[in-house]
């Protein structure tokens, strides 16, 4: 510190000491009215010497805010971890008051707000150190900092200390010592989120403040100066040492005897403690998210809703925190308690056995159900389980009390992780797998592809040219063969959707998904998003499906309906801002296509009719590495995403874990180092839904249809009981097209033009054929057929390697039939007529050349000669009267032999 700076600080401190000492003298003088004298002097010093603003007229006392469900029931009384039980000074035992006064301000009852000796002592110590190391604040000054300056704004500086001192002097002229002390005791921080002596007695000893004894009073008094450093739950040794110092100070100041102090020291802190776990609100994850939406702009921006409410809470984050947690607000939300309980129950039923141990709960994957109301965007459920809300490290006195698995991972049955919503420090979400595929279908329909668009989806196959890289190899777990949009979604064919996004373009798919409700900018414009290779949140998925259910009208997800101040004045009211983002006719078609997965033959076909008469639409999702499993679906009134997966953050107990897990020399990007207070290490560690046991059942692999779909179904069956059944608008018949004759064209380009004009889809198939390579030799369907638009027309193209066909056998056939067969086979036919006296051979092929079975290519000029019989009447036999027989000599009629006679 420079000499000039040192001199200026000393001068200001001397002036401050003179003022503080002088005001005490003026207060007792007989020559000036006390109030007038003190007020004039302090005001003059504030104005002319220190330029300190006047003490505010009155503090606004903190008042807890309340959060309500949609039905008006109370969800939580919130206080930003400032849990309080207000008490009067009369309720506080004298021993407790004496302990606090002895350690925090022994001259409290005799000074005028500041202790000028303590100020000088601390000041010169700080000046020698070149920094502020000692405080010297009285109880009144501490209260001024709490109530008027604010702990968050209490920068450690000489100017702040001067203002604090002058305001303390002025405050003591406005309030009595007892009033100041009572307010101080109700505001003081005692660690672990505990504010006020009343709550501290309950939190650490499970008793009312009136019941505190000497040792307990000294322990609490010792927490005020360093509440976290002397935390009795996490650092009992430090807390005990500080307690003993307080007992010594009480003895020195005459509040207790040395014998009493020594007797109180015999108790260890663990022996004294009987802590009460902090109460969580009824819906801790939901309440936590709602409050963050109101004070943390980075969280509010992730969903783009309630930004006006954020503004109404204050200009800065600290202002908003005070308003939300200490402003006495009445915050009304969208949560439906009945649906929420149904969601919790379904998560528990599908992830745990009937009587789970804490170890089973800790080892189970997380599950979540979030529901969004189509048409309003109101979030009706946000359920996470099966773990409780909380932290084992914060809520457990000893890490050793938490069991570990074979690898040293802590098996904690609590978590504060909220993977369902963005902005909560859980990374970039989870991959949705095939539940993303309806967005690809929507994009394809928008681009003009008809729902009958077909491809051969047999896998594995390579998709060339995707993402400007090499071929993309895609395989199926189902859905091989020829597929269209209906069958491809029903069977969840990966190859079909890969070919579809190649046709549509990944940029188009991303843009459509964002319009529908995937808003956090994590979607890559890559072909792999067709199969769900992108990070999303269940809230976004439920919102996007709600948009489809609402016939393409997007309503931002909303959590808050209105906010009132402590007097009941309306501060904020939410009005849905819905926009048509997809044409209603296209949304109707997508809705119709999405009936496939939940009907016979679909990936969740067991769900068919389970919500009848409410028609269900939905899609399963499983990631390639089996890290996440989903089912997302909807009825007309509610869209719901059900998800399960393991939390990627794990904590190792370094005393019980393998050495390499906690070697501080081996920092990696996935681990956060060792916490010296608990000797634990936190790491990011992916875990998968493979070879796991869940709810007592072993699974080699978990699919979206394995657990999430039944979890969704059981919840929605109960939820839908409150809904009037509503169907979906009929999308109309599939558009039809006429298949053109591709065998009459001369090039693939010309064939593609014909197919595109007919609104069909062309694929070529190279076949073994004797005709020259590149010759079109066949098509399916045949020319002239009426088929749904988009159907696949396969054009067979010769590879020139096939053997020539055999000449058909037409011998024995009638002439016309033989001509037809040979002509269709590509041969010219030459007919040779041969007379026959057999009527049965009339018009029949008697011979053919080449003979049947000979290899003979039906090229131009290839001719088959067939000899066809033509019946002619034979010449008639002459009658006996007209016939003259000339007998040769010696011959007679048969049997007339002379030699035979006698």
């Amino acid at each position: 510190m420079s000499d000039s700076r040192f001199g200026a600080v000393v001068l200001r401190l001397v002036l401050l000491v003179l003022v503080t000492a002088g005001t005490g003298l003026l207060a007792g003088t007989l020559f000036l009215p006390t109030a007038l004298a003190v007020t004039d002097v302090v005001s003059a010093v504030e104005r002319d010497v220190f330029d300190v603003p006047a003490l505010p007229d009155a503090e606004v006392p903190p008042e807890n805010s309340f959060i309500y469900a949609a039905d008006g029931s109370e969800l939580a009384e919130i206080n930003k971890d400032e849990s309080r039980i207000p008490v009067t000074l009369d309720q506080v035992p004298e021993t407790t008051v004496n302990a606090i006064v002895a350690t925090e301000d022994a001259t409290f009852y005799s000074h005028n707000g500041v202790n000028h000796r303590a100020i000088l002592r601390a000041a010169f110590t700080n000046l020698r150190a070149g920094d502020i190391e000692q405080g010297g604040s009285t109880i009144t000054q501490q209260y001024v900092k709490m109530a008027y300056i604010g702990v968050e704004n209490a920068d450690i500086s000489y100017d702040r200390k001067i203002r604090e001192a002058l305001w303390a002097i002025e405050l003591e002229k406005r309030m009595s010592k007892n009033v100041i002390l009572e307010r101080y005791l109700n505001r003081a921080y005692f660690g672990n989120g505990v504010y006020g002596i009343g709550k501290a007695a309950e939190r650490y000893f499970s008793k009312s403040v009136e019941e505190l004894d000497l040792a307990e009073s000294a322990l609490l008094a010792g927490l005020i100066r360093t509440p976290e450093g002397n935390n009795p739950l996490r650092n009992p040794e430090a807390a005990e040492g500080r307690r003993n110092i307080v007992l010594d100070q009480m003895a020195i100041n005459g509040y207790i005897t040395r014998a009493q102090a020594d007797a109180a020291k015999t108790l260890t802190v663990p022996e004294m403690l009987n802590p009460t776990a902090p109460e969580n609100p009824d819906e801790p994850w939901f309440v936590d998210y709602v409050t963050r939406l109101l004070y943390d702009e980075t969280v509010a921006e992730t969903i783009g809703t309630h930004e006006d409410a954020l503004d109404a809470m204050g200009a800065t984050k600290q202002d908003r925190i005070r308003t939300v947690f200490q402003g006495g607000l009445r915050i009304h939300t969208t949560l439906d308690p009945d649906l929420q309980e149904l969601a919790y129950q379904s998560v528990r039923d599908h992830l745990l056995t009937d009587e789970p141990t804490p170890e089973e709960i800790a080892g189970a994957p997380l599950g979540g159900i979030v529901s969004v109301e189509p048409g309003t965007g109101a979030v009706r459920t946000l359920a996470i389980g099966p773990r409780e809300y909380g932290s084992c490290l914060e809520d457990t006195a000893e890490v050793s009390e938490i069991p570990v698995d074979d690898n040293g991972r802590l098996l904690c049955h609590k978590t504060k992780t909220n993977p369902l919503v963005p902005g909560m420090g859980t990374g970039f979400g989870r991959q949705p797998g095939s539940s993303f595929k309806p967005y690809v279908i929507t994009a394809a329909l928008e681009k003009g592809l008809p729902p009958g668009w077909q491809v051969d989806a047999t896998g594995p196959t390579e998709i060339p040219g995707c993402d400007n890289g090499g071929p993309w190899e895609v395989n199926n777990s189902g859905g091989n063969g020829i597929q269209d949009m209906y069958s491809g979604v029903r069977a969840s064919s990966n190859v079909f959707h890969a070919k579809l996004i190649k046709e549509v373009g990944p940029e188009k798919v991303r843009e459509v998904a964002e319009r529908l409700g995937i808003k956090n900018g994590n979607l890559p414009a890559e072909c792999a998003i067709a199969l769900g290779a992108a990070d999303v949140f269940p809230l976004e998925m439920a919102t996007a499906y709600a948009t489809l259910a609402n016939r393409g009208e997007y309503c931002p997800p909303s959590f808050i309906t209105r906010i009132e101040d402590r007097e009941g004045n309306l501060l904020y009211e939410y009005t849905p801002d819905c926009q048509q983002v997809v044409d209603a006719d296209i949304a109707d078609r997508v809705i119709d296509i999405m009936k496939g997965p939940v009907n016979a033959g679909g990936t969740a076909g067991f769900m068919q009719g389970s919500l009848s008469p409410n028609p269900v639409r939905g899609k399963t999702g499983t990631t390639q590495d089996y890290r996440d499993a989903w089912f997302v679906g909807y009825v007309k009134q509610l869209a719901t995403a059900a998800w399960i997966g393991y939390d990627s953050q794990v904590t190792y107990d370094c005393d019980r874990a393998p050495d390499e897990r906690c070697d501080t020399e081996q920092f990696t990007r996935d681990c956060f180092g060792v916490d010296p207070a608990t000797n634990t290490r936190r790491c990011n560690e992916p875990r998968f839904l493979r070879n796991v046991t869940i709810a007592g059942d072993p699974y080699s692999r978990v699919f979206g249809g394995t657990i999430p779909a039944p979890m969704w179904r059981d919840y929605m069956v109960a939820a839908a009981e409150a809904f009037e059944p509503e169907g979906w608008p009929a999308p109309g018949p599939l558009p039809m097209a006429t298949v053109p004759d591709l065998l009459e064209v001369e090039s693939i380009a010309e064939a593609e033009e014909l197919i595109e004009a007919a609104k069909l889809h062309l694929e070529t198939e190279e076949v073994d054929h004797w005709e020259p390579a590149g010759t079109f030799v066949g098509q399916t369907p045949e020319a002239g057929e009426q088929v749904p638009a988009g159907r696949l027309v396969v054009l067979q193209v010769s590879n020139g390697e096939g053997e020539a066909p055999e000449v058909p056998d037409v011998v024995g056939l009638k002439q016309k039939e033989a001509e037809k067969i040979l002509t269709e086979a590509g041969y010219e036919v030459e007919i040779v007529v041969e007379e026959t006296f057999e009527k049965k051979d009339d018009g029949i092929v008697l011979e053919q050349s080449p003979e049947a079975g000979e290899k003979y290519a039906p090229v131009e000029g290839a001719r088959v000669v067939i000899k066809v019989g033509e019946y002619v009447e034979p010449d008639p036999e002459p009658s006996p009267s007209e016939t003259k027989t000339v007998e040769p000599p010696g011959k007679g009629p048969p049997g007339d032999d002379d030699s035979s006679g006698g």
Side-chain angles (χ1 to χ4, degrees):
M1 180 180 293
S2 66
D3 292 341
S4 59
R5 172 64 177 156
F6 181 85
V9 170
V10 170
L11 177 60
R12 288 163 66 83
L13 288 172
V14 170
L15 287 172
L16 177 62
V17 171
L18 291 175
V19 170
T20 59
T23 51
L25 294 174
L26 286 170
T29 183
L30 298 175
F31 301 102
L32 289 173
T34 300
L36 176 61
V38 173
T39 300
D40 289 346
V41 171
V42 174
S43 297
V45 170
E46 288 175 344
R47 182 183 65 249
D48 300 331
V49 179
F50 296 112
D51 191 27
V52 173
L55 178 70
D57 290 337
E59 75 159 309
V60 177
E63 183 177 320
N64 290 350
S65 296
F66 294 85
I67 298 181
Y68 300 97
D71 63 357
S73 60
E74 182 182 315
L75 292 177
E77 181 178 356
I78 59 172
N79 44 47
K80 187 52 182 173
D81 298 327
E82 297 187 7
S83 186
R84 306 172 189 270
I85 298 177
V87 298
T88 65
L89 191 60
D90 292 339
Q91 293 176 271
V92 183
E94 184 179 1
T95 299
T96 306
V97 172
N98 292 339
I100 291 172
V101 169
T103 191
E104 289 299 315
D105 187 1
T107 62
F108 174 69
Y109 290 106
S110 60
H111 62 60
N112 64 339
V114 296
N115 184 334
H116 58 276
R117 291 187 179 88
I119 289 176
L120 281 177
R121 183 172 60 250
F124 283 104
T125 299
N126 296 336
L127 286 170
R128 282 195 302 269
D131 200 353
I132 294 180
E133 292 187 350
Q134 282 191 17
S137 294
T138 64
I139 283 176
T140 308
Q141 286 175 270
Q142 292 180 51
Y143 176 69
V144 164
K145 182 172 68 173
M146 296 173 188
Y148 293 95
I149 297 176
V151 175
E152 298 89 351
N153 298 322
D155 58 306
I156 301 176
S157 68
Y158 290 106
D159 290 337
R160 195 268 293 168
K161 296 295 290 184
I162 289 169
R163 177 172 52 153
E164 183 183 286
L166 293 174
W167 280 7
I169 295 169
E170 187 171 346
L171 185 66
E172 291 226 356
K173 306 310 167 184
R174 296 185 184 182
M175 298 180 186
S176 69
K177 292 282 187 179
N178 283 347
V179 170
I180 292 172
L181 184 58
E182 179 179 289
R183 294 191 178 192
Y184 171 81
L185 291 174
N186 280 302
R187 272 192 176 267
Y189 181 51
F190 291 88
N192 290 298
V194 174
Y195 286 78
I197 193 71
K199 188 65 179 181
E202 178 191 77
R203 178 71 175 92
Y204 295 114
F205 309 115
S206 298
K207 60 174 58 175
S208 66
V209 69
E210 293 94 336
E211 300 173 288
L212 290 173
D213 62 23
L214 173 59
E216 293 164 348
S217 298
L219 180 66
L220 295 183
L223 296 181
I224 295 175
R225 190 165 299 179
T226 313
E228 298 303 343
N230 296 325
N231 188 326
L233 300 182
R234 299 186 65 178
N235 198 349
E237 294 83 3
E240 187 172 317
R242 180 63 186 154
R243 178 205 65 185
N244 293 343
I245 291 173
V246 173
L247 290 169
D248 290 338
Q249 290 172 324
M250 292 181 73
I252 291 170
N253 286 280
Y255 292 118
I256 60 174
T257 66
R258 174 54 58 186
Q260 289 174 311
D262 292 341
K265 290 180 183 180
T266 61
L267 291 171
T268 67
V269 166
E271 289 174 331
M272 296 171 57
L273 293 176
N274 182 22
T276 299
E279 294 181 5
N280 288 321
D282 288 344
E283 301 299 338
W285 284 283
F286 184 85
V287 166
D288 183 34
Y289 193 65
V290 165
T291 55
R292 288 175 185 267
L293 287 173
L294 293 175
Y295 73 78
D296 191 336
E297 61 186 349
T298 60
V299 174
E301 287 171 356
T302 61
I303 62 170
T305 320
H306 307 309
E307 292 176 347
D308 292 344
L310 189 78
D311 294 338
M313 297 299 100
T316 69
K317 185 174 181 178
Q318 292 301 332
D319 289 340
R320 293 190 290 267
I321 287 174
R322 281 193 293 272
T323 301
V324 171
F325 293 99
Q326 298 180 351
L329 304 181
R330 304 300 187 261
I331 303 167
H332 298 267
T333 73
T334 60
L335 191 76
D336 185 316
D338 294 334
L339 293 183
Q340 183 79 341
E341 181 52 38
L342 292 173
Y344 276 131
Q345 188 62 50
S346 187
V347 171
R348 287 191 294 263
D349 289 347
H350 287 278
L351 297 182
L352 296 177
T353 57
D354 292 338
E355 297 182 357
T357 63
E359 289 81 3
E360 182 189 346
I361 297 172
L366 282 178
I369 290 178
V370 56
S371 293
V372 174
E373 185 175 82
T376 67
V379 178
R380 296 304 186 192
T381 61
L382 188 77
I384 300 170
R387 286 182 241 172
E388 303 171 14
Y389 182 85
S391 167
C392 287
L393 294 180
E394 294 174 6
D395 301 337
T396 305
E398 295 289 342
V399 173
S400 60
E401 296 177 13
I402 308 169
V404 296
D405 66 11
D406 294 339
N407 294 315
R409 298 188 191 97
L410 291 180
L411 292 175
C412 179
H413 62 285
K414 299 179 180 181
T415 184
K416 290 185 178 179
T417 297
N418 185 344
L420 303 188
V421 292
M424 296 299 287
T426 54
F428 296 102
R430 312 293 291 225
Q431 292 196 357
S434 294
S435 60
F436 197 88
K437 288 174 179 175
Y439 312 147
V440 186
I441 298 295
T442 306
L445 293 172
E446 273 199 350
K447 197 164 182 180
L449 274 67
W453 188 86
Q454 277 187 331
V455 291
D456 183 354
T458 301
T461 190
E462 290 185 346
I463 312 295
C466 240
D467 307 330
N468 298 318
W472 176 30
E473 186 171 335
V474 183
N475 205 346
N476 284 326
S477 58
N480 289 308
I482 303 299
Q483 305 288 343
D484 61 15
M485 293 187 190
Y486 277 87
S487 63
V489 171
R490 181 177 64 248
S492 197
S493 171
N494 289 338
V495 173
F496 173 80
H497 288 88
K499 288 187 174 182
L500 186 58
I501 198 171
K502 178 65 165 41
E503 185 81 11
V504 174
E507 296 85 358
K508 174 67 175 176
V509 173
R510 178 177 67 178
E511 185 263 333
V512 167
E514 289 174 345
R515 268 192 277 132
L516 289 169
I518 311 298
K519 298 291 187 181
N520 279 285
N522 299 321
L523 298 179
E526 299 173 356
C527 288
I529 64 172
L531 311 183
D535 293 320
V536 301
F537 293 90
L539 173 64
E540 295 178 305
M541 293 294 288
T543 300
Y545 274 50
T547 302
L548 293 172
N550 199 36
R551 303 190 69 204
E553 186 179 39
Y554 166 74
C555 300
S558 61
F559 291 78
I560 302 164
T561 55
R562 72 181 190 280
I563 302 173
E564 299 157 354
D565 65 15
R566 65 180 77 196
E567 282 82 31
N569 300 311
L570 185 65
L571 297 180
Y572 168 79
E573 188 167 23
Y574 178 70
T575 301
D577 181 19
C578 301
Q579 298 177 348
Q580 193 76 34
V581 296
V582 171
D583 184 81
D585 290 340
I586 289 177
D588 291 344
R589 180 62 67 184
V590 177
I591 290 169
D592 196 52
I593 290 172
M594 289 179 67
K595 68 187 177 186
V598 293
N599 281 284
T603 53
F606 66 86
M607 203 176 290
Q608 182 172 7
S610 58
L611 271 72
S612 180
N614 292 282
V616 176
R617 301 292 186 265
K619 185 72 188 73
T620 53
T622 309
T623 57
Q624 185 176 13
D625 57 5
Y626 299 97
R627 188 174 180 182
D628 301 276
W630 300 67
F631 184 84
V632 191
Y634 49 87
V635 294
K636 187 72 173 176
Q637 301 90 340
L638 200 66
T640 297
W643 162 88
I644 69 167
Y646 285 99
D647 185 356
S648 61
Q649 291 192 353
V650 297
T651 303
Y652 287 91
D653 182 342
C654 294
D655 294 329
R656 293 180 283 174
D659 292 340
E660 62 271 16
R661 295 293 185 180
C662 287
D663 185 352
T664 56
E665 298 299 323
Q666 296 180 9
F667 283 104
T668 70
R669 64 181 178 83
D670 293 330
C671 292
F672 314 142
V674 175
D675 179 354
T678 60
N679 202 24
T680 59
R681 184 172 186 169
R682 196 81 177 271
C683 299
N684 277 332
E685 193 172 284
R687 290 185 287 172
F688 307 100
L689 296 166
R690 298 192 301 253
N691 301 316
V692 293
T693 297
I694 300 174
D697 296 322
Y699 296 93
S700 59
R701 296 173 295 172
V702 175
F703 297 89
T706 307
I707 295 176
M711 189 167 79
W712 185 98
R713 177 198 59 195
D714 291 354
Y715 160 70
M716 286 292 285
V717 165
E721 291 179 359
F723 303 146
E724 288 293 329
E726 285 189 58
W728 307 101
L734 294 177
M736 302 298 288
T738 302
V739 179
D741 188 351
L742 303 182
L743 301 184
E744 295 297 319
V745 301
E746 297 180 353
S747 68
I748 296 294
E750 190 177 351
E752 288 176 342
E753 288 180 7
L754 282 176
I755 287 295
E756 184 176 350
K759 297 188 181 302
L760 297 168
H761 178 50
L762 177 68
E763 284 190 7
T764 58
E765 178 186 14
E766 189 176 75
V767 296
D768 290 337
H769 201 273
W770 55 268
E771 292 204 44
T775 305
F776 301 160
V777 295
Q779 71 175 73
T780 306
E782 294 183 358
E785 284 192 34
Q786 291 291 308
V787 297
R791 274 294 186 262
L792 177 64
V793 177
V794 179
L795 176 62
Q796 286 90 33
V797 182
S798 172
N799 62 6
E801 297 178 1
E803 292 184 356
E806 296 178 354
V807 177
D809 184 0
V810 295
V811 173
L813 301 180
K814 289 185 176 297
Q815 176 184 331
K816 286 188 176 181
E817 184 179 0
E819 285 186 87
K820 180 181 179 182
I821 290 174
L822 293 171
T823 301
E824 289 179 349
Y827 300 104
E828 295 179 9
V829 180
E830 180 181 343
I831 301 171
V832 176
V833 176
E834 181 172 303
E835 292 182 351
T836 177
F837 298 127
E838 298 290 339
K839 281 189 175 182
K840 63 181 179 62
D841 292 333
D842 186 46
I844 302 299
V845 177
L846 303 177
E847 295 179 19
Q848 69 178 68
S849 178
E851 294 182 356
E854 287 189 29
K855 304 289 187 182
Y856 185 40
V859 295
E860 184 176 355
R863 178 178 302 176
V864 176
V865 178
I866 57 175
K867 187 178 293 185
V868 180
E870 182 179 13
Y871 174 72
V872 294
E873 291 281 347
D875 292 336
E877 292 282 342
S879 63
S881 60
E882 295 176 347
T883 304
K884 181 178 179 180
T885 304
V886 179
E887 298 290 342
K891 284 292 192 179
D896 189 15
D897 189 348
D898 289 343
S899 63
S900 64

